Amino acid sequence: MRSRPTILHLDMDAFYASVEQASKPSLRGKPVVVGGLGPRGVVATASYEARRSGVHSAMPMAQARRLCPHAAFLVPRFGVYRAISETVMALLGELSPLVEPLSLDEAFVDLAAGPDGGPVSAEEARDTGGRLRARIRAATGLTGSVGLAGSKMLAKIASERAKPDGLVLVPPGTERELLAPLPVRTLPGVGPATAEALRRAGIATVGDVVRAGEAELLRLLGKAHGAGVHTMALGVDTRPVVADRDTKSISVEDTFDVDVTDRARIRFEVDRLAVRCVERLRAAGRSGRTVVLKVRRYDFSTLTRSETLRGPTDDPAVVRESAARLLEGVDTTAGVRLLGVGVSSLAAFTQEDLFAQAGGTPGPGAPEPGEPPAGEAGPRGPDAPGPWLPGVDVTHATLGPGWVQGSGLGRVTVRFERPDSQRPGRVRTFRADDPELARGDPLPLVPASGSPPAAAPGPGPRPPPGSGELACPRGDLRPPGRGQRPRPGTVNGRGRPRPAASAPASAPAQDSSSARPARCPKSRSGSGGPGGTSRP
């Protein structure tokens, strides 16, 4: 236990959701939920506005929609999050070479290992934390909460108490006073099972743990675990900040919207996951010796199978064939809801198999690598050519950069705005196959110094007939309310565009390119279509 508060813990505030709000001016101050949008999707992050409605991380997305139906539901953009995380971690690295990242938005820093030996007083530590928060905001436009203490456990507790956008310092000597009223789950190593065992013994808070004594903890939890929990309850945490934590495994997994029973489809998905896993493995500069297959069946029972190879590899063919062999021993006839492929026993080198470890050939009728089986659609995701998922970046040949607000029934609604826009941008609806609309690159959250802020584009002229853009100046794709009839031109999965009236027999045939486009109803704000409704 240190006598100075030289352990700093940084936790970015609602990181994914905050990035989306910073990049989309129309969502600022409004509820935003980021995660999987399918029927079995899970919330990754919710903005503080959405949390007031009870939405939180790891909640099923269907439940989040019921709790906060007016929120913007967006797919995650991990490439953007990683780039911003690298900027934040670089700022932490300027404080000390000992930075221990826990995730993209969270890290410990040992200030005592810094160039000046770290702060010598609580006020110096507070000034260091304040300067860090200001620099992060200037570099990324985002906020983070900082905790300072003499140990990792207390620094993390302090940052949680500082949220959002705050700083809390735990003065040395006040650790017991801070910990006493907190629930036992606050202590590292106390999970649901341990907490339940302590609750049955009448121990609910950290103060109760201290009063129970070490002997009682040893009786309830065993020698090793009981001693560790008692030591933590006393505020003693000697764990060091470790800059390079070894990655034990690398894996990828997918949850399906509907249970998959077709064996050919399951083989294809395992093959695709193996290739994605190797891509992550190579990006990390690692190789692995053990291939792991994870199968979660329709009844939530999870099976894990593994195979150890002769040596470390990063060959996609080797990993694919190993995963395929593991799959042969798993019964999937009742249905599969999740598949995963991972590689463990990592190394920093590869050992090519001289005995054709991956020398097998696909069986007759098996699809080629990356080719879906007959009758199956290929993988879909934020980086796939379609569909237009809510939140992804797009660009229009005439209107410039924007983001998908919703889509459905062959239409896609886009809001055109930039992170530095002074007001929400305009909304336009296009045909999904509009050749002028394409995926775009994310824009920086903070403009380059000296660049004037961008003004949001005005409403602009009405598009001419025959253009790819639909005549929906206000971009309303909102489903009709209860007791309200679907209006013509509504694209919401229930209403259908009004069919064009048949022309009199004497009237000349009208070319489809010059036909009057569908009109969308007026509304104060835009919203997305089925599966991607997002109303700022």
Side-chain angles (χ1 to χ4, degrees):
M1 196 71 183
R2 303 185 182 186
S3 59
R4 296 183 296 158
T6 55
I7 300 293
L8 181 148
H9 180 259
L10 170 72
D11 194 355
M12 302 296 290
D13 299 324
F15 184 51
Y16 296 172
S18 295
V19 171
E20 301 302 336
Q21 288 178 322
S23 62
K24 302 171 174 63
S26 57
L27 299 183
R28 293 170 189 168
K30 298 179 181 179
V32 175
V33 181
V34 179
L37 301 185
R40 293 175 176 172
V42 176
V43 175
T45 305
S47 68
Y48 287 100
E49 295 83 1
R51 295 182 189 186
R52 298 191 191 107
S53 299
V55 182
H56 58 78
S57 299
M59 170 182 287
M61 188 62 75
Q63 182 180 358
R65 289 183 184 275
R66 291 193 297 268
L67 292 174
C68 194
H70 57 288
F73 294 88
L74 309 176
V75 295
R77 299 182 298 156
F78 289 112
V80 179
Y81 309 148
R82 279 191 289 268
I84 297 174
S85 175
E86 291 173 359
T87 300
V88 173
M89 296 302 166
L91 294 175
L92 296 180
E94 296 178 10
L95 297 177
S96 169
L98 287 183
V99 177
E100 181 179 339
L102 304 179
S103 62
L104 290 178
D105 62 334
E106 185 180 3
F108 285 109
V109 182
D110 188 348
L111 299 178
D116 56 356
V120 297
S121 66
E123 286 305 316
E124 287 189 17
R126 192 183 300 274
D127 291 343
T128 300
R131 287 194 300 270
L132 173 65
R133 292 174 55 227
R135 295 187 65 191
I136 290 175
R137 183 147 199 169
T140 66
L142 306 176
T143 63
S145 298
V146 170
L148 289 155
S151 67
K152 293 171 71 173
M153 175 184 68
L154 291 168
K156 183 173 177 61
I157 293 173
S159 69
E160 291 174 355
R161 295 169 70 93
K163 283 187 167 294
D165 191 20
L167 185 151
V168 170
L169 184 144
V170 181
T174 65
E175 296 86 2
R176 297 273 294 273
E177 180 182 352
L178 171 69
L179 290 172
L182 300 180
V184 291
R185 288 291 303 272
T186 305
L187 300 176
V190 177
T194 301
E196 178 60 21
L198 295 175
R199 187 195 64 79
R200 289 197 297 265
I203 300 173
T205 67
V206 177
D208 294 339
V209 174
V210 176
R211 286 187 288 272
E214 184 175 6
E216 178 67 6
L217 268 293
L218 296 179
R219 184 185 71 82
L220 292 172
L221 306 178
K223 184 176 181 180
H225 193 30
V229 170
H230 186 262
T231 300
M232 289 289 184
L234 295 174
V236 179
D237 179 13
T238 58
R239 295 175 299 163
V241 175
V242 180
D244 297 318
R245 297 199 307 169
D246 289 336
T247 302
K248 299 184 181 298
S249 65
I250 292 176
S251 63
V252 295
E253 61 184 39
D254 274 346
T255 300
F256 306 109
D257 293 343
V258 180
D259 292 342
V260 179
T261 57
D262 182 71
R263 190 70 176 183
R265 167 75 186 279
I266 293 174
R267 291 193 192 98
F268 164 72
E269 295 293 345
V270 169
D271 181 271
R272 182 173 62 87
L273 290 169
V275 173
R276 285 173 51 195
C277 181
V278 171
E279 289 174 353
R280 292 190 58 187
L281 195 67
R282 290 181 170 180
R286 309 296 293 273
S287 61
R289 190 181 177 198
T290 302
V291 178
V292 181
L293 174 70
K294 177 180 178 181
V295 179
R296 180 166 296 156
R297 296 193 281 201
Y298 73 100
D299 58 355
F300 284 89
S301 61
T302 302
L303 302 178
T304 303
R305 300 289 184 265
S306 63
E307 177 181 85
T308 300
L309 307 174
R310 296 185 182 95
T313 184
D314 63 353
D315 187 341
V318 173
V319 177
R320 278 183 17 242
E321 293 189 10
S322 177
R325 285 193 296 270
L326 295 172
L327 179 63
E328 292 305 314
V330 179
D331 181 14
T332 61
T333 55
V336 172
R337 64 181 290 119
L338 177 146
L339 287 171
V341 174
V343 176
S344 59
S345 303
L346 302 184
F349 63 95
T350 60
Q351 178 178 329
E352 298 299 335
D353 188 359
L354 302 180
F355 298 96
Q357 189 164 244
T361 58
E368 292 297 321
E371 176 187 341
E376 294 289 350
R380 314 293 275 185
D383 298 325
W388 298 101
L389 299 177
V392 300
D393 297 289
V394 297
T395 183
H396 189 270
T398 304
L399 301 175
W403 58 279
V404 175
Q405 190 166 286
S407 61
L409 296 181
R411 304 289 186 265
V412 55
T413 300
V414 178
R415 186 179 288 273
F416 292 95
E417 58 186 358
R418 306 171 63 93
D420 55 345
S421 298
Q422 299 301 299
R423 57 188 175 89
R426 61 186 176 185
V427 177
R428 290 290 182 268
T429 299
F430 306 88
R431 295 183 177 86
D433 58 354
D434 189 332
E436 293 190 329
L437 191 67
R439 293 294 173 89
D441 296 325
L443 301 176
L445 300 186
V446 178
S449 57
S451 300
R462 187 181 301 275
S467 65
E469 183 181 354
L470 300 182
C472 306
R474 304 188 74 93
D476 190 358
L477 298 181
R478 182 174 49 189
R482 183 174 298 176
Q484 179 183 355
R485 294 177 57 195
R487 292 174 291 181
T490 302
V491 182
N492 54 36
R494 293 180 294 179
R496 296 179 179 272
R498 176 184 295 173
S502 57
S506 59
Q510 187 179 22
D511 184 73
S512 60
S513 63
S514 62
R516 184 179 180 181
R519 296 291 300 273
C520 289
K522 295 182 179 180
S523 171
R524 290 178 297 176
S525 60
S527 61
T533 301
S534 57
R535 244 179 78 203

